[in-house]
Amino acid sequence: MELYGQEVNRANYKHYSTDDLNTFKVQLRSDIRDLQKKHNASPEERVNLHEKQELVTYIIWELHRRSL
């Protein structure tokens, strides 16, 4: 998915800097909250929500790993 003009996915998220990952995490969490509040989400939006939840989990884990 595209975040701040960059293609970010499960295959390439580890290649971004820690600052970029923190920025992506904030954006993804905001997008997730917005989609969860939407009561009449389309099937595509629900799939998008799941993908964002999955990606933010990977990003959080990577940030944790880098902090050790």
Side-chain angles (χ1 to χ4, degrees):
M1 73 189 54
E2 191 165 315
L3 297 169
Y4 293 100
Q6 300 182 55
E7 183 63 28
V8 183
N9 56 48
R10 290 185 335 185
N12 70 0
Y13 71 95
K14 290 183 179 183
H15 301 291
Y16 289 98
S17 71
T18 301
D19 288 339
D20 284 342
L21 289 178
N22 277 313
T23 302
F24 298 155
K25 179 182 75 170
V26 169
Q27 180 63 46
L28 285 167
R29 283 184 167 172
S30 175
D31 291 350
I32 289 167
R33 276 192 301 275
D34 291 344
L35 284 170
Q36 287 173 333
K37 289 178 185 176
K38 195 170 185 180
H39 296 290
N40 57 350
S42 69
E44 293 84 16
E45 289 173 320
R46 287 193 292 271
V47 168
N48 193 14
L49 172 63
H50 176 71
E51 290 172 356
K52 288 179 183 216
Q53 289 170 326
E54 186 177 43
L55 183 57
V56 79
T57 301
Y58 285 114
I59 288 173
I60 290 169
W61 176 249
E62 179 65 15
L63 289 167
H64 175 72
R65 188 188 67 75
R66 291 181 185 188
S67 72
L68 298 177

